[in-house]
Amino acid sequence: MPAPPTRGAALPIGASPARAKPRVWGKLAELRGSDIPPRALDARALAALAANPGCRRRALLDGAGVDKARLADALGAPSGFGQSQFAFMRGNAFEAKVKADGGTELLRLVHERMGGGPEPVPGQARTPDLTAVGPEGRTARTAFALREATAEAAASGAWTFLEHPMLALDVAGTPAFLEPDAVVVHPDGTWTVVEIKSFPMIDGSADAAKVGAAARQAAVYVLALERVAGHLDPAPEVRHRILLVCPKDFSNLPAASAVDVRKQLSVTRRQLERLTRVEDIADALPEGTCFDVTLPTDELTEAVESVPATYAPECLAACELAFHCRDRARDQGAVTSLGRGLRAELGGLTTVDEVLSAAHGHSGDPLDPAVAALRRAARLRAEALGARGEAAPACP
């Protein structure tokens, strides 16, 4: 599982502080609260953002480094996010066990499931030191270590294990630092992302929903790793199958499975490209808008509501502000609160009142397929209730 994210604004690969946009960073700092340090984006947040690219509220808050959990508390709609201290400690202990002895067990699992060269010899794999000053320094050090490892693989067929490398990815005009659990460079020069999770793998398979979430998170790492590989000549192959390592059954022994993330990678790449640039969203806000959690609740609520949100039930599993947005969506009667699938079927009908009015024949174009389907469903419901002797609203 990932280490706690490093706080601070990130820079895209190849960028330097001198090339960053001072006006944009200043504006985002004002939105966050000038004395509040930014909360860095991580792969889990980026995967959730990519799953809902139309939500400008999340894009802006994440881009500005606003702590959405504290914001939700201040709005009176606290989220249920976060691991218990016990789960966090158990996950860290399992990760340490998997990576012990220079990643001996981890490399064995990588070779067993992914191949890519001769079997690794315990104690002979390269484990470069990735420490550096600041996140930018760690990002540059990781890129250098990957380049060295690829050259060493070509020269001597060595395995290289990088523990918690730092990668950077530009998202909607604002960069983010990402820290995968591990990256392995195979003797054939290919690169593999390793995700270590604390949920169990029972009889060789794990919970499908949790595996899917891990795959979406890993796809973000693969995308960032491809950006690093693109700066090398020739560019090494970044494998689109990642290694997922989990506890075996109910023990603390590691089990692994190769997970194909090509679909998640394609979706993530496309969705991140669709995101509206954060600076464009910020420029459209009223003057003086601020998301400082120390502000009065009414003022903070007004600031949050000034940024359009796109709520869907899936947000409950991915965003700290989901309860607040759900309450607002219900108050407005928005059909998005019933699910994206239903919203897509209803076409131009965006509220529950509009849907009911169309179903009962009070509004809507009869030639509209959505309106026709609603009226037919209303007739069928009326017939069913009439057959049971219950009162039913009149329908045309």
Side-chain angles (χ1 to χ4, degrees):
M1 62 180 32
T6 305
R7 291 187 176 272
L11 292 173
I13 297 173
S16 65
R19 293 173 56 191
K21 301 177 181 178
R23 187 188 70 82
V24 175
W25 304 142
K27 176 67 173 177
L28 296 181
E30 291 175 6
L31 291 173
R32 183 177 62 250
S34 300
D35 298 330
I36 300 176
R39 183 179 180 84
L41 278 168
D42 58 17
R44 189 170 299 175
L46 286 183
L49 187 58
N52 191 8
C55 187
R56 296 191 170 202
R57 182 176 295 170
R58 172 150 198 167
L60 178 65
L61 294 175
D62 281 346
V66 175
D67 188 333
K68 298 194 300 300
R70 291 185 61 199
L71 182 60
D73 289 341
L75 292 171
S79 70
F81 272 62
Q83 286 184 314
S84 68
Q85 189 64 24
F86 172 75
F88 185 76
M89 293 175 62
R90 181 183 60 187
N92 281 346
F94 177 68
E95 180 177 338
K97 179 181 180 66
V98 173
K99 294 179 177 178
D101 301 322
T104 297
E105 179 63 12
L106 178 60
L107 290 174
R108 185 190 68 79
L109 292 171
V110 170
H111 177 264
E112 179 183 290
R113 297 295 181 180
M114 313 287 287
E119 186 174 351
V121 178
Q124 292 190 10
R126 299 177 71 253
T127 54
D129 182 8
L130 303 180
T131 57
V133 178
E136 294 91 347
R138 288 189 59 199
T139 301
R141 184 70 188 87
T142 295
F144 179 75
L146 286 167
R147 183 167 63 247
E148 278 193 326
T150 304
E152 186 67 25
S156 61
W159 287 86
T160 300
F161 163 58
L162 284 75
E163 182 177 8
H164 284 302
M166 184 70 77
L167 307 172
L169 186 65
D170 186 64
V171 180
T174 59
F177 283 131
L178 308 170
E179 193 173 357
D181 293 328
V183 170
V184 171
V185 178
H186 299 248
D188 62 6
T190 56
W191 301 355
T192 292
V193 170
V194 178
E195 267 293 282
I196 302 174
K197 297 295 184 182
S198 59
F199 55 81
M201 189 175 291
I202 301 173
D203 292 333
S205 62
D207 181 87
K210 293 180 179 179
V211 172
R216 290 189 294 272
Q217 183 177 339
V220 177
Y221 296 138
V222 172
L223 182 59
L225 206 57
E226 287 182 339
R227 303 292 171 87
V228 180
H231 286 77
L232 303 183
D233 186 20
E237 176 191 350
V238 180
R239 293 184 178 224
H240 292 167
R241 289 202 310 161
I242 64 102
L243 188 74
L244 177 64
V245 182
C246 302
K248 182 179 181 180
D249 298 325
F250 299 101
S251 69
N252 201 35
L253 299 175
S257 176
V259 179
D260 192 327
V261 298
R262 283 177 296 179
K263 179 181 177 181
Q264 292 83 355
L265 180 62
S266 176
V267 171
T268 300
R269 183 184 289 111
R270 183 174 66 252
Q271 299 292 61
L272 290 181
E273 289 173 353
R274 285 180 54 199
L275 287 172
T276 304
R277 295 182 68 83
V278 169
E279 59 190 284
D280 295 335
I281 303 174
D283 288 341
L285 295 178
E287 191 68 29
T289 300
C290 182
F291 304 105
D292 188 337
V293 295
T294 61
L295 293 174
T297 302
D298 291 345
E299 187 175 340
L300 194 58
T301 301
E302 183 180 353
V304 171
E305 293 304 312
S306 68
V307 189
T310 305
Y311 171 77
E314 294 85 352
C315 295
L316 294 171
C319 182
E320 295 88 340
L321 283 178
F323 292 117
H324 172 81
C325 296
R326 182 184 64 178
D327 292 343
R328 289 297 184 271
R330 287 176 172 175
D331 291 343
Q332 297 165 4
V335 295
T336 52
S337 64
L338 303 177
R340 291 195 183 104
L342 180 60
R343 172 68 187 89
E345 294 288 339
L346 291 173
L349 304 174
T350 59
T351 68
V352 174
D353 287 341
E354 289 178 349
V355 171
L356 294 177
S357 178
H360 295 154
H362 303 317
S363 64
D365 182 359
L367 299 180
D368 185 335
V371 173
L374 286 169
R375 291 181 179 178
R376 182 172 182 272
R379 285 195 296 270
L380 292 173
R381 178 178 182 275
E383 292 173 5
L385 292 177
R388 293 173 56 185
E390 298 181 17
C395 295

